[in-house]
Amino acid sequence: MAHFAKLGANGKVIQVLTLDNKDMLNADGVEDESVGQQYLETHNNWPAQMWIQTSYNTSGGQHKEGGTPFRGNYAGIGYTWDEDDQIFWPKKPYVSWVKHNESASWKSPIGDAPALTAEQESQNTADTHRWGYVWNESGQSWDLTDSKA
Amino acid sequence: MYILHPGMQKKVLTEQALYYGDVAMPKDWDIDRDKLSGDILQSVIQNKDFPFSRTWDILNTYMRDHVGLEYDVNLVNKETWGNIYKPAETTTPLLNIDPVDLRNSPDFTLLYGVKVKDCFVRIHFEDNRRKGRSWDIELKNNMFIMFPSTNMYYLTNNQKDSLNFIQTITYEYI
């Protein structure tokens, strides 16, 4: 089963449809994205070039089953198609965050949140606390919080 | 966010939202409004249901997809029909719900300007105790207006030269 994202204005994903693999075989019997696009144009009344194939098993630039990742992320409604980088981007979580192409994800300008200490991890495991870092957009920092407090 | 009074909260029970704008189709994929106006003419003259067509499906799918994407409102079709309004005609007040059968009535009414000129829509609404309010908007070619079907409205063809062709689609949301 193949998956195709339907793009609207500004490259936003409006819908994601599945397509039987046999409907995207070219004359040589090989799967071809353009054949699938043409099929979708005919049957879904939307221009062929605005259907982009997406991989169900790709997320965060990784293939879940160890295969070759395809276009960064499995497209979802509201995602944006980046033709230059060939990546489906989820919604930007904060204004200051920037694209990180290798992981097909948004990163804070100061990088990932720091790791929790062993003590914090053990307290989380014991369920006495729920430590985690939350992005503080106005302070541009990762703030340690205990959501159980 | 700083909360002035932590014990004071707000819950929106209902809202009356109107959606309007142009149908911005991809390049070379404009809605074939000649086809729609022909179908409206045919259905009105022959007094038949509005015929399903590829063009109508493109319009309907566009609306459902984009309202779903932008506003998280999932629409399901109820009915569709086309109207022709004579020059200088003002309709009687229109209401697309059946007050004694609300269960089977639509949630939203969509008006699409197929071929219109100086066409104005007045939508009536109530703002709590302030009854009898209305909002006016001009419906232009290739433009849509969608509003709750519980709102009464009427249309005015504000010129004396040409007919106005309008497509109506009603929806419920899930």
Side-chain angles (χ1 to χ4, degrees):
Chain A
M1 196 66 81
H3 297 78
F4 280 78
K6 179 182 181 181
L7 303 184
N10 320 321
K12 262 195 172 182
V13 176
I14 306 171
Q15 207 183 78
V16 181
L17 291 188
T18 54
L19 185 68
D20 197 323
N21 296 64
K22 71 178 171 52
D23 293 325
M24 56 180 297
L25 298 179
N26 63 19
D28 300 326
V30 179
E31 283 184 20
D32 185 337
E33 183 177 8
S34 64
V35 176
Q37 289 174 321
Q38 204 54 55
Y39 180 93
L40 288 164
E41 173 175 316
T42 306
H43 293 89
N44 288 275
N45 290 331
W46 197 248
Q49 73 275 14
M50 298 187 80
W51 292 97
I52 304 292
Q53 194 173 1
T54 180
S55 162
Y56 184 76
N57 288 311
T58 297
S59 175
Q62 303 281 323
H63 193 280
K64 288 178 200 165
E65 294 170 2
T68 307
F70 184 59
R71 294 176 173 165
N73 292 295
Y74 176 55
I77 291 175
Y79 279 39
T80 304
W81 169 239
D82 179 343
E83 191 165 4
D84 296 335
D85 294 326
Q86 294 283 304
I87 291 172
F88 284 102
W89 291 100
K91 197 177 167 204
K92 192 176 186 174
Y94 298 97
V95 177
S96 66
W97 285 33
V98 291
K99 284 178 178 175
H100 186 255
N101 285 4
E102 286 70 36
S103 62
S105 62
W106 296 96
K107 298 271 187 193
S108 82
I110 58 169
D112 290 335
L116 295 175
T117 63
E119 187 186 0
Q120 288 163 346
E121 291 282 15
S122 66
Q123 288 173 340
N124 282 356
T125 308
D127 206 25
T128 54
H129 295 268
R130 211 164 287 155
W131 295 109
Y133 281 94
V134 176
W135 177 250
N136 180 339
E137 179 67 5
S138 56
Q140 294 285 293
S141 61
W142 287 104
D143 294 349
L144 183 65
T145 59
D146 178 5
S147 59
K148 206 164 183 177
Chain B
M1 186 178 69
Y2 180 70
I3 300 170
L4 187 66
H5 190 303
M8 186 180 287
Q9 295 179 46
K10 176 184 174 182
K11 168 76 178 165
V12 177
L13 297 174
T14 183
E15 68 167 7
Q16 284 191 45
L18 293 91
Y19 308 90
Y20 62 96
D22 291 326
V23 175
M25 292 294 292
K27 191 168 176 282
D28 301 327
W29 274 72
D30 291 332
I31 300 287
D32 183 354
R33 291 184 291 112
D34 288 336
K35 164 70 178 160
L36 284 181
S37 60
D39 286 347
I40 291 173
L41 191 63
Q42 187 188 359
S43 67
V44 169
I45 289 174
Q46 297 179 349
N47 195 25
K48 287 184 175 172
D49 287 347
F50 184 83
F52 180 83
S53 68
R54 187 167 183 260
T55 302
W56 180 86
D57 184 54
I58 291 172
L59 170 66
N60 180 52
T61 305
Y62 176 94
M63 291 311 310
R64 291 179 52 178
D65 281 349
H66 285 78
V67 170
L69 173 68
E70 301 295 335
Y71 305 108
D72 205 21
V73 177
N74 294 308
L75 300 172
V76 177
N77 281 87
K78 293 287 284 184
E79 290 183 79
T80 188
W81 63 89
N83 289 104
I84 302 172
Y85 297 105
K86 295 191 286 286
E89 177 180 354
T90 295
T91 66
T92 54
L94 304 167
L95 186 66
N96 292 329
I97 58 157
D98 181 348
V100 294
D101 187 14
L102 291 171
R103 186 186 175 89
N104 293 307
S105 292
D107 287 303
F108 285 107
T109 294
L110 176 121
L111 303 175
Y112 174 72
V114 179
K115 276 189 181 174
V116 289
K117 186 180 171 192
D118 289 342
C119 177
F120 290 85
V121 184
R122 173 163 288 184
I123 298 164
H124 289 266
F125 66 95
E126 293 176 359
D127 179 14
N128 293 320
R129 66 186 173 85
R130 297 163 193 86
K131 311 290 183 192
R133 297 208 161 184
S134 63
W135 187 67
D136 294 327
I137 183 170
E138 183 178 1
L139 181 65
K140 296 178 180 172
N141 283 329
N142 195 43
M143 179 182 165
F144 73 89
I145 304 167
M146 194 173 86
F147 51 91
S149 295
T150 46
N151 291 62
M152 198 170 66
Y153 65 103
Y154 63 85
L155 295 143
T156 303
N157 188 352
N158 220 358
Q159 40 79 30
K160 296 177 181 173
D161 306 319
S162 56
L163 299 169
N164 277 344
F165 291 74
I166 294 172
Q167 184 74 37
T168 304
I169 309 176
T170 59
Y171 297 100
E172 62 179 307
Y173 68 80
I174 51 172

